[in-house]
Amino acid sequence: MTQSPFEVIKNVYTIDELNDIVEHGCASGCAHQHIYYSDCKSFYDTYESDIIDYITDAIGSEFLTETFDNNEGSLIGYKNDIVWTFIELYAMELIENINNEEVEEDQEIVNNYSKELVTH
């Protein structure tokens, strides 16, 4: 069974690498599996509909048109930019979810500790 593009990103990049992607963007080279045009083109071609749906839901379909226009009709450049955008947006979502889980865990520890204090 083929992985989704989301599973690929989760399996390819560590939390530290996802943080680097969020902080510096894919253009910095920190998205090591998606540096070259050929890497991005292959990823885009494999997961096109999932990528387009995710970006459209996250930031709107206008972004897709603007990105194509900015690439002056270069399909390779467009696919590269769209894949980088997908990775950056999904990295942000993953890091945000991880941070939220940590906050919830910290709050649970505080709540449990507070309960222990009250019962003693």
Side-chain angles (χ1 to χ4, degrees), residues 19-103:
N19 268 315
D20 287 343
I21 290 168
V22 169
E23 290 184 25
H24 307 291
C26 292
S28 69
C30 57
H32 56 82
Q33 292 293 315
H34 299 91
I35 293 175
Y36 302 106
Y37 283 136
S38 59
D39 300 328
C40 291
K41 179 189 176 304
S42 174
F43 188 79
Y44 181 94
D45 290 346
T46 302
Y47 303 109
E48 179 180 3
S49 62
D50 290 327
I51 292 169
I52 297 302
D53 289 346
Y54 185 75
I55 291 174
T56 300
D57 289 345
I59 55 179
S61 60
E62 303 81 26
F63 179 82
L64 302 170
T65 305
E66 290 170 9
T67 302
F68 189 77
D69 291 345
N70 290 342
N71 279 284
E72 298 176 343
S74 168
L75 195 53
I76 296 276
Y78 168 79
K79 289 179 179 184
N80 186 77
D81 289 353
I82 293 300
V83 167
W84 281 359
T85 300
F86 170 81
I87 294 170
E88 290 167 2
L89 288 171
Y90 190 55
M92 283 185 242
E93 181 181 327
L94 289 171
I95 295 303
E96 184 178 314
N97 289 342
I98 290 167
N99 290 339
N100 288 340
E101 287 174 12
E102 289 173 358
V103 168

